[in-house]
Amino acid sequence: MKHYLPAGGTGVRPYTLEVTPEAAGWTYSALRVLELDGAHTFDTGPYETLVLPLSGSCRVSCDGETFELRGRRDVFSRVTDFAYVPRDAAVTVTGRGRFALPAARCENRLTARYGPAEDVPVELRGAGQASRQVNNFCTPEAFEADRLIACEVLTPGGNWSSYPPHKHDENRPGESVLEEIYYFEVDAAGRSAGAGWSGETQSAAMGWSGETRPTAMAYQRVYGTADRPIDVLEEVRTGDTVLIPHGWHGPSMAVPGYDLYYLNVMAGPSPERAWRICDDPAHAWVRDTWQGQETDPRLPLTSTIEREK
């Protein structure tokens, strides 16, 4: 199984990314990124699915309901609204932009619903150089779903996120089994020029090669145990994806000068929709060092109000 998927390498138009459980070698978690200028209809099949604007806005029609998504300029500009569509549904998305479609194979068919940006809980985690922002738009406490769990994490340049390293691959007290997808976007901190990823270059670069690859970068680490080995240390850029079937994951490293965004998509076999993690005992002590440290003053990077460049 390939755990690192570079941008533009897995999708068939109009999708620039397509991760299915079959391709990932697991059972539940899935993600597509839809590049759209017009209308596109798809069937959800056995997957409950979200329509989450990464850039642009759209109209989502499903089960006789229509939801107008205001969306956003990009993931670094604001928290977005979104739509939930159930399994076994025909969905039409009409608009212009890029839209993430996080999904989970599930058993129960819920109703199609709209998720307002104003209702998304924005959480600041960690402290000091481990400070980051989490937009909990589809976590168990924030939004009803059958199996799907999804959130966005924004990390200011120079900070460490998904830290201490943690895992969720065993059913035991304090931990749940969840297959996880990390989808990345990286931008120049402070919205300055030179990120190599903005405006008209965005769509063209999704099929990049050579010098068209964006310069903004970050790093992702995943490692396992002797019984369940996995070893990933990748330089990631906008549109790249890392699959985490098991093992400790973290840190996600936002290098100085570049803010980091990632979308987490999770689902698993437990009948209880829960997100429980276990820190790597070798590094769990780091949490105690946060006491007395201030949260990075650059946070929150985004809110429900559009952020100016």
Side-chain angles (χ1 to χ4, degrees):
M1 180 200 309
K2 291 184 178 179
H3 299 114
Y4 167 64
L5 307 176
T10 62
V12 177
R13 292 290 180 181
Y15 300 109
T16 56
L17 169 70
E18 188 165 19
V19 176
T20 64
E22 291 75 18
W26 55 39
T27 306
Y28 298 97
S29 296
L31 175 63
R32 289 179 288 177
V33 174
L34 172 65
E35 187 88 15
L36 187 64
D37 187 1
H40 177 67
T41 298
F42 65 93
D43 293 322
T44 58
Y47 301 96
E48 59 180 348
T49 304
L50 303 177
V51 180
L52 179 78
L54 299 172
S55 65
S57 59
C58 69
R59 177 185 305 114
V60 179
S61 300
C62 175
D63 286 356
E65 299 279 355
T66 298
F67 309 112
E68 297 284 348
L69 303 189
R70 176 185 171 187
R72 51 189 168 185
R73 183 181 62 244
D74 57 46
V75 297
F76 297 98
S77 63
R78 73 188 298 264
V79 177
T80 188
D81 52 356
F82 62 97
Y84 171 95
V85 292
R87 60 166 292 161
D88 301 317
V91 182
T92 298
V93 182
T94 305
R96 183 179 184 185
R98 289 187 310 117
F99 305 94
L101 306 178
R105 182 178 275 123
C106 66
E107 291 75 37
N108 299 309
R109 193 178 196 275
L110 307 184
T111 59
R113 280 164 288 135
Y114 173 69
E118 293 74 16
D119 291 350
V120 173
V122 175
E123 174 189 0
L124 302 186
R125 288 187 191 166
Q129 288 184 290
S131 301
R132 61 271 201 187
Q133 171 184 340
V134 184
N135 300 335
N136 290 301
F137 66 94
C138 190
T139 52
E141 297 78 15
F143 192 85
E144 183 187 9
D146 189 37
R147 288 191 182 272
L148 179 62
I149 299 173
C151 68
E152 301 177 316
V153 181
L154 294 107
T155 309
N159 284 10
W160 296 56
S161 193
S162 284
Y163 197 74
H166 60 279
K167 72 179 182 73
H168 37 71
D169 59 14
E170 295 182 79
N171 272 324
R172 60 177 183 169
E175 188 175 354
S176 53
V177 176
L178 294 168
E179 309 155 350
E180 187 162 19
I181 302 169
Y182 272 55
Y183 166 82
F184 297 92
E185 299 206 2
V186 193
D187 200 12
R191 316 298 299 153
S192 59
W197 188 267
S198 63
E200 297 299 323
T201 65
Q202 184 168 317
S203 296
M206 288 308 296
W208 67 58
S209 62
E211 295 181 357
T212 65
R213 184 165 166 81
T215 57
M217 62 184 178
Y219 292 87
Q220 176 66 42
R221 179 75 171 119
V222 185
Y223 58 98
T225 63
D227 293 336
R228 303 183 74 187
I230 184 172
D231 188 7
V232 178
L233 177 57
E234 290 290 346
E235 182 176 288
V236 294
R237 302 172 189 255
T238 291
D240 290 357
T241 303
V242 170
L243 307 181
I244 304 172
H246 59 265
W248 310 104
H249 40 288
S252 303
M253 295 161 266
V255 302
Y258 298 100
D259 294 336
L260 172 64
Y261 164 97
Y262 52 88
L263 170 65
N264 288 145
V265 181
M266 294 170 278
S270 174
E272 179 187 9
R273 180 173 169 248
W275 182 13
R276 300 190 183 102
I277 68 169
C278 173
D279 287 339
D280 183 342
H283 304 290
W285 64 270
V286 173
R287 287 190 187 274
D288 295 334
T289 68
W290 296 344
Q291 297 180 16
Q293 294 188 49
E294 299 293 331
T295 300
D296 191 312
R298 292 172 291 178
L299 293 173
L301 283 176
T302 64
S303 67
T304 55
I305 303 202
E306 192 84 4
R307 180 186 178 197
E308 295 296 330
K309 287 190 177 183

